[in-house]
Amino acid sequence: RILRTRPSAAFVGAAYDIDSLHATVGVVLHDSSGKFLSAGNNVAGDCVDALMAEAIALRFGLNLAQSFGCSRLIINSDNSNVIAAMQDGGTFSGLVAAIFDDCYHMARDLSQIHYEHCHREGNFIVHELARIARFFPPGTWFDEAPIAIASMLVNDATLITT
């Protein structure tokens, strides 16, 4: 298990096609200093709306963080409804209620979790991972970023440090 003094950050996001009702998800996990730890993308399948896709992305991100051994986590999402639902204890009505309930119980296994809203521009890498999952087999990467997003991570780190 990896021990950290500050929480890791997970950026979660989804790509949703309103015409086909099909969604894909992407996640990037950083350590507390911004260093890449892991990334993943997956096909979420049929979703009734974008909120369901974003909730599935959150669940995928929590799974990835737990499989990496994170116990302290900051979740970043550009969907304010996801952040609000989780800050409210995972309570939500409607078709996504069961997914938020799953996420809430997964998050309780962590020693510390915090939810932050970020603008879509700050979450562009996970959206690119989600987009890639529409055309290529999904995957999970540990310690080394996939080539498709490596240059974006460098640019993202440069923006953070300057």
Side-chain angles (χ1 to χ4, degrees), residues 25-29 36-43 57 59-69 129-130 132-133 136-147 149:
V25 298
V27 173
V28 175
L29 185 63
F36 175 85
L37 295 175
S38 184
N41 62 4
N42 206 355
V43 175
R59 184 171 56 193
F60 183 69
L62 287 166
N63 275 321
L64 182 63
Q66 287 179 340
S67 69
F68 198 81
L129 276 172
I132 290 168
F136 299 100
T140 304
W141 301 269
F142 294 97
D143 299 322
E144 196 168 312
I147 293 171
I149 66 163

Side-chain angles (χ1 to χ4, degrees), residues 58-121:
L58 173 61
R59 184 171 56 193
F60 183 69
L62 287 166
N63 275 321
L64 182 63
Q66 287 179 340
S67 69
F68 198 81
C70 296
S71 61
R72 299 161 43 100
L73 195 61
I74 298 171
I75 297 287
N76 295 273
S77 173
D78 60 14
N79 189 297
S80 58
N81 289 326
V82 167
I83 298 302
M86 295 309 295
Q87 287 175 336
D88 195 28
T91 56
F92 204 87
S93 60
L95 297 173
V96 297
I99 300 168
F100 282 128
D101 189 58
D102 285 349
C103 293
Y104 172 75
H105 289 287
M106 291 172 69
R108 288 185 55 180
D109 291 338
L110 300 169
S111 63
Q112 179 183 2
I113 190 156
H114 182 73
Y115 301 95
E116 295 180 355
H117 180 262
C118 64
H119 295 285
R120 186 169 174 86
E121 298 81 24

Side-chain angles (χ1 to χ4, degrees), residues 30 33-35 124-125 151-162:
H30 296 273
S33 65
K35 180 184 172 229
F124 69 96
I125 296 172
S151 64
M152 291 182 213
L153 287 169
V154 170
N155 291 339
D156 193 39
T158 303
L159 291 173
I160 291 170
T161 59
T162 57

Side-chain angles (χ1 to χ4, degrees), residues 14-15 24-26 41 125-136:
T24 52
V25 298
N41 62 4
I125 296 172
V126 296
H127 289 282
E128 179 62 14
L129 276 172
R131 188 193 67 77
I132 290 168
R134 293 175 55 204
F135 307 106
F136 299 100

